[in-house]
Amino acid sequence: MTRRARWLFGGGVLVIVVLAVTAIVWSTAPPTPQASSRPTPSPSETLDLLASAQAELDEHLEQCTATGAPNGTVPESCGIRIPWGAEFSTVTDARFRIERMPQITLSDDGFVAEGGALVATVTGTGQDGAPRTETYRTENWSVRGDVDRTRTGIDLTVW
């Protein structure tokens, strides 16, 4: 074998080794991640979504508290719990006053709204049979629920 033939043979072997290594590396590399079908919202879209959700929640809670609790029936899906059973034998009505709305936080699972302040003035008959009026206050009024984006905005469902 001539000197030139040895160089050509060695170069050919080197090319084959490089191609083999490249093929092995390429076939064992992790797949390239695909782009998400759901676009990531921009910061302004996130703020708009949060503001829209908070506005809808505020409206829902204002409607909840506007009716009061006639005959002691507290509106459902409003996060209102009043421990009047120890002081009242019957409740005629309860009036609510919102001092601070719960602030909403959105997640993939829905939403949580915490930190609200609610005052309830309850009237009825006490355990002793006498007319009674008591005021209850909570500093940790909270609600939870589901949130869905719609074409026109957002749809909240409070549990």
Side-chain angles (χ1 to χ4, degrees), residues 60-76 78 80-82 84 91-98 118-123:
H60 172 78
L61 295 177
E62 285 171 3
Q63 289 175 359
C64 284
T65 58
T67 60
N71 299 319
T73 305
V74 177
E76 293 184 24
C78 297
I80 300 173
R81 287 157 192 59
I82 303 172
W84 58 52
V91 172
T92 308
D93 197 9
R95 293 288 161 210
F96 303 110
R97 184 177 78 243
I98 300 170
L118 179 68
V119 176
T121 302
V122 180
T123 56

